[in-house]
Amino acid sequence: MTTPVVSIAYHSGYGHSAVLAEAVRQGAAEAGAQVHLIKVDEITDEQWATLDGSDAIVFGSPTYMGTASAPFHTFAEASSQRWFGQDWKDKLAAGFTNSGCKSGDKLHTLQFFQILAAQHGMNWISLGLHPGWNNSAGSEHDLNRLGVFLGAAAQTNVDEGPEAVHKADVETARHLGRRVAETARLFVLGRAAA
């Protein structure tokens, strides 16, 4: 079977991160993956099993006070049940986040996701894009307009709702979903050939 399974384990406090999760889902589905959206603050035993059976897990959360949200941290701690048996070892991992500031310490949230993945023995997938909006010919509509390499990062004004998530950030998240699905497909094919 060469259809990769990608799960997006995310928390969204006000809906902004849910917009990004949906964009990642769309990108992964466009690349031929079977995709599952899992809200970590409502996770069920069946959804834990879905994560266990996934080829790739994309972590997502808003950045609050310089790190992932408390509900995501609760999920991360609960994942220690999988850590003991190394149930997620050799799966692929990636991440996305949103905050109100252009920087907003989003990098720290993505690093938290990367360390969580490393503790589980997972393989991290970066964004794989050059930075946008970093020269006089660029604009805020460029992919990766915030210049983050570790994952997809978005900035949304704190006084605006989910509909205001910047379109370039949504497209950057969709790119991440495609990249994860394409990489997962190669892993699935390689595993089948071995």
Coordinates of all heavy atoms in Angstrom, one line a residue, residues 63-132:
T63 N 1.0 29.8 19.6 CA 2.1 30.1 20.5 C 1.5 31.1 21.6 O 1.1 32.2 21.2 CB 3.3 30.8 19.8 OG1 3.8 29.8 18.9 CG2 4.4 31.2 20.8
Y64 N 1.5 30.6 22.8 CA 1.0 31.4 23.9 C 2.2 31.5 24.9 O 2.8 30.5 25.3 CB -0.1 30.7 24.7 CG -1.4 30.6 23.9 CD1 -2.3 29.6 24.2 CD2 -1.8 31.5 22.9 CE1 -3.5 29.5 23.6 CE2 -3.0 31.4 22.2 CZ -3.9 30.3 22.6 OH -5.1 30.2 21.9
M65 N 2.5 32.7 25.3 CA 3.6 33.0 26.2 C 4.9 32.2 25.9 O 5.6 31.7 26.7 CB 3.1 32.6 27.6 CG 1.9 33.3 28.1 SD 2.0 35.1 28.0 CE 3.2 35.4 29.3
G66 N 5.2 32.2 24.6 CA 6.5 31.7 24.1 C 6.6 30.2 23.9 O 7.7 29.7 23.7
T67 N 5.4 29.5 24.0 CA 5.5 28.1 23.7 C 4.1 27.6 23.3 O 3.2 28.4 23.1 CB 5.9 27.3 25.0 OG1 6.1 25.9 24.7 CG2 4.9 27.4 26.1
A68 N 4.0 26.3 23.1 CA 2.7 25.8 22.7 C 1.7 26.0 23.8 O 2.0 26.1 25.0 CB 2.8 24.3 22.3
S69 N 0.4 25.9 23.4 CA -0.7 26.1 24.4 C -0.7 25.0 25.5 O -0.1 23.9 25.3 CB -2.0 26.1 23.7 OG -2.2 24.8 23.1
A70 N -1.3 25.2 26.6 CA -1.4 24.3 27.7 C -2.1 23.0 27.2 O -1.6 21.9 27.6 CB -2.1 24.9 28.9
P71 N -3.2 23.0 26.5 CA -3.8 21.8 26.0 C -2.9 21.0 25.1 O -2.9 19.7 25.2 CB -5.0 22.2 25.2 CG -5.4 23.5 25.8 CD -4.1 24.2 26.2
F72 N -2.0 21.6 24.3 CA -1.0 20.9 23.6 C 0.0 20.2 24.5 O 0.4 19.1 24.3 CB -0.4 21.7 22.5 CG 0.4 20.8 21.5 CD1 -0.3 20.3 20.4 CD2 1.7 20.4 21.8 CE1 0.4 19.4 19.5 CE2 2.3 19.5 20.9 CZ 1.7 19.0 19.8
H73 N 0.4 21.0 25.5 CA 1.4 20.4 26.4 C 0.8 19.2 27.2 O 1.5 18.2 27.4 CB 1.9 21.5 27.4 CG 3.0 22.3 26.9 ND1 4.3 22.0 27.1 CD2 3.0 23.5 26.2 CE1 5.1 22.9 26.5 NE2 4.3 23.8 26.0
T74 N -0.5 19.3 27.5 CA -1.1 18.1 28.1 C -1.1 16.9 27.2 O -0.8 15.8 27.6 CB -2.6 18.5 28.5 OG1 -2.6 19.5 29.4 CG2 -3.3 17.3 29.1
F75 N -1.4 17.1 25.9 CA -1.3 16.0 24.9 C 0.1 15.5 24.8 O 0.4 14.3 24.8 CB -1.7 16.6 23.5 CG -1.3 15.8 22.4 CD1 -1.9 14.6 22.0 CD2 -0.2 16.2 21.6 CE1 -1.5 13.8 21.0 CE2 0.2 15.4 20.5 CZ -0.4 14.2 20.2
A76 N 1.1 16.4 24.8 CA 2.5 16.0 24.7 C 2.9 15.1 25.9 O 3.6 14.1 25.7 CB 3.4 17.2 24.6
E77 N 2.5 15.5 27.1 CA 2.8 14.7 28.3 C 2.1 13.3 28.2 O 2.7 12.3 28.5 CB 2.4 15.4 29.5 CG 3.3 16.5 29.9 CD 3.0 17.2 31.2 OE1 2.5 16.5 32.1 OE2 3.3 18.4 31.3
A78 N 0.8 13.3 27.7 CA 0.1 12.0 27.5 C 0.8 11.1 26.5 O 0.7 9.9 26.6 CB -1.3 12.3 27.2
S79 N 1.5 11.7 25.6 CA 2.1 10.9 24.5 C 3.3 10.1 25.1 O 3.8 9.2 24.4 CB 2.6 11.8 23.4 OG 3.8 12.5 23.7
S80 N 3.6 10.3 26.3 CA 4.7 9.5 27.0 C 4.3 8.1 27.0 O 5.2 7.2 27.1 CB 5.0 10.1 28.4 OG 3.9 9.9 29.2
Q81 N 3.0 7.8 27.0 CA 2.6 6.4 27.0 C 3.2 5.7 25.7 O 3.5 4.5 25.7 CB 1.1 6.3 27.0 CG 0.4 6.9 28.2 CD 0.6 6.0 29.4 OE1 0.7 4.8 29.3 NE2 0.7 6.7 30.6
R82 N 3.3 6.5 24.6 CA 3.8 6.0 23.4 C 5.4 6.0 23.4 O 6.0 5.1 22.8 CB 3.4 6.8 22.2 CG 2.1 6.4 21.6 CD 0.9 6.7 22.4 NE -0.3 6.0 21.8 CZ -1.4 5.8 22.5 NH1 -1.5 6.1 23.7 NH2 -2.4 5.2 21.9
W83 N 5.9 6.9 24.2 CA 7.4 7.0 24.3 C 8.0 5.7 24.9 O 9.0 5.2 24.5 CB 7.7 8.2 25.1 CG 9.2 8.4 25.4 CD1 10.1 8.9 24.5 CD2 9.9 8.0 26.6 NE1 11.4 8.8 25.1 CE2 11.3 8.3 26.4 CE3 9.5 7.4 27.8 CZ2 12.2 8.0 27.3 CZ3 10.5 7.1 28.7 CH2 11.8 7.4 28.5
F84 N 7.3 5.2 25.9 CA 7.9 4.0 26.6 C 8.1 2.9 25.7 O 9.1 2.2 25.8 CB 6.9 3.6 27.8 CG 7.1 4.5 29.0 CD1 6.0 5.3 29.3 CD2 8.2 4.5 29.8 CE1 6.1 6.2 30.4 CE2 8.3 5.3 30.9 CZ 7.3 6.1 31.2
G85 N 7.2 2.7 24.8 CA 7.3 1.6 23.8 C 7.9 2.0 22.5 O 8.0 1.2 21.6
Q86 N 8.3 3.3 22.4 CA 8.8 3.9 21.1 C 7.8 3.6 20.0 O 8.2 3.2 18.9 CB 10.2 3.4 20.8 CG 11.3 3.9 21.8 CD 11.5 5.4 21.6 OE1 12.2 5.8 20.7 NE2 10.8 6.2 22.4
D87 N 6.5 3.7 20.2 CA 5.5 3.4 19.3 C 5.5 4.3 18.1 O 5.0 4.0 17.0 CB 4.1 3.5 19.9 CG 3.9 2.6 21.1 OD1 4.7 1.6 21.2 OD2 3.0 2.8 21.9
W88 N 6.1 5.5 18.2 CA 6.1 6.5 17.1 C 7.5 6.6 16.5 O 7.8 7.4 15.6 CB 5.7 7.9 17.6 CG 4.2 8.0 17.9 CD1 3.3 7.0 17.8 CD2 3.6 9.1 18.5 NE1 2.1 7.5 18.3 CE2 2.2 8.7 18.7 CE3 4.0 10.4 18.9 CZ2 1.3 9.6 19.3 CZ3 3.1 11.2 19.5 CH2 1.7 10.9 19.6
K89 N 8.4 5.7 16.9 CA 9.8 5.7 16.3 C 9.8 5.5 14.8 O 9.0 4.7 14.3 CB 10.6 4.6 17.0 CG 12.1 4.6 16.5 CD 12.9 3.6 17.3 CE 14.3 3.7 16.8 NZ 15.2 2.7 17.5
D90 N 10.6 6.3 14.1 CA 10.7 6.3 12.7 C 9.5 6.9 11.9 O 9.6 6.9 10.7 CB 11.1 5.0 12.2 CG 12.5 4.5 12.7 OD1 13.3 5.4 12.9 OD2 12.7 3.3 12.9
K91 N 8.5 7.4 12.6 CA 7.5 8.1 11.9 C 8.0 9.5 11.5 O 9.0 9.9 12.0 CB 6.2 8.3 12.8 CG 5.5 7.0 13.1 CD 4.2 7.4 13.9 CE 3.5 6.1 14.3 NZ 3.1 5.3 13.3
L92 N 7.4 10.1 10.6 CA 7.7 11.5 10.2 C 7.0 12.5 11.1 O 5.9 12.2 11.5 CB 7.4 11.7 8.7 CG 8.1 10.8 7.7 CD1 7.6 11.0 6.3 CD2 9.6 11.0 7.8
A93 N 7.6 13.7 11.3 CA 6.9 14.7 12.1 C 7.2 16.1 11.4 O 8.2 16.3 10.8 CB 7.4 14.7 13.5
A94 N 6.3 17.0 11.7 CA 6.4 18.4 11.2 C 5.5 19.2 12.2 O 4.8 18.7 13.0 CB 6.0 18.5 9.8
G95 N 5.6 20.6 12.0 CA 4.8 21.4 12.8 C 4.4 22.8 12.3 O 5.0 23.2 11.3
F96 N 3.4 23.4 12.9 CA 3.0 24.7 12.5 C 2.5 25.5 13.7 O 2.0 24.8 14.7 CB 1.9 24.7 11.4 CG 0.6 24.0 11.9 CD1 -0.4 24.7 12.5 CD2 0.4 22.6 11.7 CE1 -1.6 24.1 12.9 CE2 -0.7 22.0 12.1 CZ -1.8 22.7 12.7
T97 N 2.5 26.8 13.7 CA 2.0 27.6 14.8 C 1.6 29.0 14.3 O 1.9 29.4 13.2 CB 3.1 27.7 15.9 OG1 2.5 28.3 17.1 CG2 4.3 28.5 15.4
N98 N 0.9 29.7 15.1 CA 0.4 31.0 14.9 C 0.5 31.9 16.1 O 0.4 31.3 17.3 CB -1.1 31.0 14.5 CG -1.7 32.4 14.2 OD1 -1.5 32.9 13.1 ND2 -2.3 32.9 15.2
S99 N 0.9 33.1 16.0 CA 0.8 34.0 17.1 C 0.5 35.4 16.6 O 0.4 35.7 15.4 CB 2.1 34.1 17.9 OG 3.2 34.7 17.2
G100 N 0.3 36.4 17.6 CA -0.1 37.7 17.2 C 1.0 38.6 16.7 O 0.8 39.6 16.0
C101 N 2.2 38.3 17.1 CA 3.4 39.1 16.7 C 4.1 38.5 15.5 O 4.0 37.3 15.3 CB 4.4 39.2 17.9 SG 3.7 40.1 19.3
K102 N 4.8 39.3 14.8 CA 5.6 38.8 13.6 C 6.6 37.8 14.1 O 6.7 36.7 13.4 CB 6.4 40.0 12.9 CG 5.5 41.0 12.3 CD 4.9 40.5 11.0 CE 4.1 41.6 10.2 NZ 2.8 41.9 10.7
S103 N 7.3 38.0 15.2 CA 8.1 36.9 15.7 C 7.3 36.1 16.7 O 7.0 35.0 16.5 CB 9.4 37.5 16.4 OG 10.1 36.5 17.0
G104 N 7.0 36.8 17.9 CA 6.1 36.2 18.8 C 6.7 34.9 19.4 O 6.0 34.1 20.0
D105 N 8.0 34.6 19.3 CA 8.6 33.4 19.8 C 8.0 32.1 19.3 O 8.0 31.1 19.9 CB 8.6 33.4 21.4 CG 9.5 34.5 21.9 OD1 10.6 34.7 21.4 OD2 9.1 35.1 22.9
K106 N 7.5 32.2 18.0 CA 7.0 31.0 17.3 C 8.1 30.0 17.1 O 7.8 28.8 17.2 CB 6.4 31.4 16.0 CG 5.1 32.2 16.0 CD 4.6 32.5 14.6 CE 5.0 33.7 14.0 NZ 4.5 34.9 14.7
L107 N 9.3 30.4 17.0 CA 10.4 29.4 16.8 C 10.5 28.5 18.0 O 10.7 27.3 17.8 CB 11.7 30.1 16.5 CG 12.9 29.2 16.3 CD1 12.7 28.3 15.1 CD2 14.2 30.1 16.2
H108 N 10.3 29.0 19.2 CA 10.4 28.2 20.3 C 9.3 27.1 20.3 O 9.5 25.9 20.7 CB 10.2 29.0 21.6 CG 10.4 28.2 22.9 ND1 9.3 27.8 23.6 CD2 11.5 27.7 23.5 CE1 9.8 27.0 24.6 NE2 11.1 27.0 24.6
T109 N 8.1 27.4 19.9 CA 7.0 26.4 19.8 C 7.4 25.3 18.8 O 7.3 24.1 19.1 CB 5.7 27.1 19.4 OG1 5.3 28.1 20.4 CG2 4.6 26.1 19.2
L110 N 7.9 25.7 17.6 CA 8.4 24.8 16.6 C 9.5 23.9 17.2 O 9.6 22.7 16.9 CB 8.7 25.5 15.3 CG 7.6 26.1 14.6 CD1 8.1 27.0 13.4 CD2 6.6 25.1 14.1
Q111 N 10.4 24.5 17.9 CA 11.5 23.7 18.5 C 11.0 22.7 19.6 O 11.5 21.6 19.7 CB 12.5 24.7 19.1 CG 13.4 25.4 18.1 CD 14.2 26.5 18.7 OE1 13.9 27.1 19.7 NE2 15.4 26.8 18.1
F112 N 10.0 23.2 20.3 CA 9.3 22.3 21.3 C 8.7 21.0 20.5 O 8.9 19.9 20.9 CB 8.2 23.0 22.0 CG 7.3 22.1 22.8 CD1 7.7 21.4 23.9 CD2 6.0 21.9 22.4 CE1 6.9 20.5 24.6 CE2 5.1 21.1 23.1 CZ 5.6 20.4 24.2
F113 N 8.1 21.3 19.4 CA 7.5 20.2 18.6 C 8.7 19.3 18.1 O 8.5 18.1 18.1 CB 6.8 20.7 17.4 CG 5.5 21.5 17.7 CD1 5.0 22.4 16.7 CD2 4.8 21.3 18.8 CE1 3.8 23.1 16.9 CE2 3.6 22.0 19.1 CZ 3.1 22.9 18.1
Q114 N 9.7 19.9 17.6 CA 10.9 19.1 17.1 C 11.5 18.2 18.2 O 11.8 17.1 18.0 CB 11.9 20.0 16.5 CG 13.0 19.3 15.7 CD 14.0 20.2 15.1 OE1 14.4 21.2 15.7 NE2 14.4 19.9 13.9
I115 N 11.6 18.8 19.4 CA 12.2 18.0 20.5 C 11.2 16.9 20.9 O 11.7 15.8 21.2 CB 12.5 18.9 21.7 CG1 13.7 19.9 21.3 CG2 12.8 18.1 23.0 CD1 13.9 21.0 22.3
L116 N 9.9 17.2 20.9 CA 9.0 16.1 21.2 C 9.1 15.0 20.2 O 9.1 13.8 20.6 CB 7.5 16.7 21.2 CG 6.4 15.7 21.3 CD1 6.4 15.1 22.7 CD2 5.1 16.5 21.1
A117 N 9.2 15.4 18.9 CA 9.4 14.4 17.9 C 10.7 13.6 18.1 O 10.7 12.4 17.9 CB 9.4 15.0 16.5
A118 N 11.8 14.3 18.4 CA 13.1 13.6 18.6 C 13.0 12.6 19.8 O 13.6 11.5 19.8 CB 14.1 14.7 18.9
Q119 N 12.3 13.0 20.9 CA 12.2 12.1 22.0 C 11.4 10.8 21.6 O 11.7 9.8 22.1 CB 11.4 12.8 23.1 CG 12.3 13.9 23.8 CD 11.6 14.6 25.0 OE1 10.3 14.7 24.9 NE2 12.3 15.0 25.9
H120 N 10.5 11.0 20.7 CA 9.8 9.8 20.2 C 10.6 9.0 19.1 O 10.1 8.0 18.6 CB 8.4 10.2 19.6 CG 7.4 10.5 20.7 ND1 6.8 9.4 21.4 CD2 6.8 11.6 21.2 CE1 5.9 9.9 22.2 NE2 5.9 11.2 22.1
G121 N 11.7 9.5 18.7 CA 12.5 8.9 17.7 C 12.0 9.1 16.3 O 12.3 8.4 15.4
M122 N 11.2 10.2 16.1 CA 10.6 10.5 14.8 C 11.6 11.3 14.0 O 12.6 11.8 14.5 CB 9.4 11.4 15.0 CG 8.3 10.6 15.9 SD 6.9 11.7 16.4 CE 5.9 11.6 14.9
N123 N 11.4 11.4 12.7 CA 12.2 12.2 11.7 C 11.5 13.5 11.3 O 10.4 13.4 10.8 CB 12.4 11.3 10.5 CG 13.1 10.0 10.8 OD1 14.3 10.0 11.2 ND2 12.5 8.9 10.6
W124 N 12.2 14.6 11.6 CA 11.5 15.9 11.4 C 11.6 16.4 9.9 O 12.7 16.2 9.3 CB 12.2 17.0 12.2 CG 11.5 18.3 12.2 CD1 11.9 19.4 11.5 CD2 10.4 18.6 13.0 NE1 11.0 20.4 11.7 CE2 10.1 20.0 12.6 CE3 9.6 17.9 13.9 CZ2 9.0 20.6 13.2 CZ3 8.5 18.6 14.4 CH2 8.2 19.9 14.1
I125 N 10.5 16.9 9.4 CA 10.4 17.5 8.1 C 10.4 19.0 8.2 O 9.4 19.5 8.8 CB 9.2 17.0 7.3 CG1 9.2 15.4 7.2 CG2 9.1 17.6 5.9 CD1 8.0 14.9 6.6
S126 N 11.3 19.7 7.6 CA 11.3 21.1 7.7 C 10.4 21.7 6.6 O 9.8 20.9 5.8 CB 12.7 21.7 7.4 OG 13.1 21.3 6.1
L127 N 10.2 23.0 6.6 CA 9.3 23.6 5.6 C 9.9 23.5 4.2 O 9.1 23.4 3.3 CB 9.2 25.1 6.0 CG 8.2 25.9 5.2 CD1 6.8 25.3 5.3 CD2 8.1 27.4 5.7
G128 N 11.2 23.6 4.0 CA 11.7 23.4 2.7 C 11.5 24.6 1.7 O 11.3 24.4 0.5
L129 N 11.4 25.8 2.3 CA 11.2 26.9 1.4 C 12.2 28.0 1.8 O 12.6 28.2 2.9 CB 9.8 27.6 1.7 CG 8.6 26.9 1.2 CD1 7.3 27.6 1.7 CD2 8.6 26.9 -0.4
H130 N 12.6 28.8 0.8 CA 13.4 30.0 1.0 C 12.5 31.0 1.7 O 11.3 30.9 1.6 CB 13.9 30.6 -0.3 CG 15.1 29.8 -0.9 ND1 16.3 29.8 -0.3 CD2 15.2 29.0 -2.0 CE1 17.1 29.1 -1.0 NE2 16.5 28.6 -2.0
P131 N 13.1 31.9 2.4 CA 12.2 33.0 3.0 C 11.6 33.9 1.9 O 12.3 34.1 0.9 CB 13.2 33.7 3.9 CG 14.6 33.5 3.3 CD 14.5 32.2 2.7
G132 N 10.5 34.3 2.2 CA 9.8 35.3 1.3 C 9.9 36.7 1.9 O 10.4 36.9 3.1

